[in-house]
Amino acid sequence: MKKLYVSILLFGLFAILAAAAPARAQSVQEQTASIPFTFNVGDKTFPAGLYRVRRLNPASDRVALLIKSEDGRLSKITLTSFVRPDKTVEQARLVFTRYGEQYFLAQVWTEAHDDGLILPTSRSERTLARKAGERAPERATIALDRRSR
């Protein structure tokens, strides 16, 4: 009887360790970017500065993305959709859409994933796009640096 209890206890312990292994393998990975201009994520405006970017639920079909200032005072969580690259992602980066002097975070590309994330277009960005007419918006790209925690 004692051997049965020890066997059950060991099996339970191994089951717990096996379940925890994938969680450790998918360690939370933040990436940082120094953004030299004021920008918008959705309808929220962020000043120039150092920001952390992190996928919150990478296994989902709609990834939640966290953008947070280095000091932690400003943050925004937004749902994203996947976008496939035309070529291999060589450098992690943030892609902004620019209308005049207003920048909107449009895409996030990370080296750890084969796909990128596209952010929804905000109401204010759609308004600026209509005013711009057929003139294509400009793109600005900022490199992301890897930072594990």
Side-chain angles (χ1 to χ4, degrees), residues 8-59:
I8 291 172
L9 180 63
L10 287 175
F11 178 75
L13 181 60
F14 285 122
I16 290 170
L17 291 174
R24 275 186 272 121
Q26 294 178 348
S27 64
V28 173
Q29 187 153 92
E30 287 186 338
Q31 294 187 285
T32 60
S34 179
I35 303 173
F37 45 77
T38 299
F39 66 98
N40 295 296
V41 177
D43 287 322
K44 186 167 187 171
T45 303
F46 292 85
L50 191 59
Y51 288 89
R52 297 177 185 178
V53 178
R54 180 173 66 188
R55 290 181 182 213
L56 296 179
N57 58 342

